[in-house]
Amino acid sequence: MADYNLAALSLGELTKIQEDVAKAISTHQDWQKAEARALDEALAQNQGYYLAEIVGSKTKTAHSPETARYQHSEHPAPTWSG
């Protein structure tokens, strides 16, 4: 690893390095997660399962709109639930 004289760099250069390091860390973490998922999927398939069966999947539940409880007295079209 190269030695850098960080004190000699300008604020702009230091900020650029900081952004580059943050991006590199994020990319590395994403790569490690993808590798771990691939290993987990391979292990699950080796046992005859899908990873989603073992881990389960989180799904968002859709909320149905409430039924109209109120209606305009003179015009039937405008309705609301509360």
Side-chain angles (χ1 to χ4, degrees):
M1 184 171 164
D3 287 330
Y4 294 101
N5 184 4
L6 298 177
L9 298 176
S10 70
L11 180 60
E13 292 170 327
L14 290 171
T15 303
K16 175 70 172 130
I17 291 171
Q18 184 179 26
E19 291 170 358
D20 291 346
V21 168
K23 186 176 179 181
I25 289 171
S26 177
T27 300
H28 190 71
Q29 288 173 335
D30 291 345
W31 176 80
Q32 283 184 326
K33 287 177 188 177
E35 186 177 75
R37 177 171 288 281
L39 289 172
D40 290 343
E41 287 175 353
L43 181 61
Q45 286 180 355
N46 190 30
Q47 298 296 320
Y49 297 100
Y50 290 104
L51 183 60
E53 289 178 300
I54 297 169
V55 177
S57 60
K58 296 180 181 179
T59 58
K60 293 183 179 181
T61 56
H63 295 283
S64 60
E66 289 188 38
T67 57
R69 294 186 293 185
Y70 305 102
Q71 185 175 24
H72 193 277
S73 60
E74 296 174 7
H75 306 288
T79 59
W80 62 95
S81 60

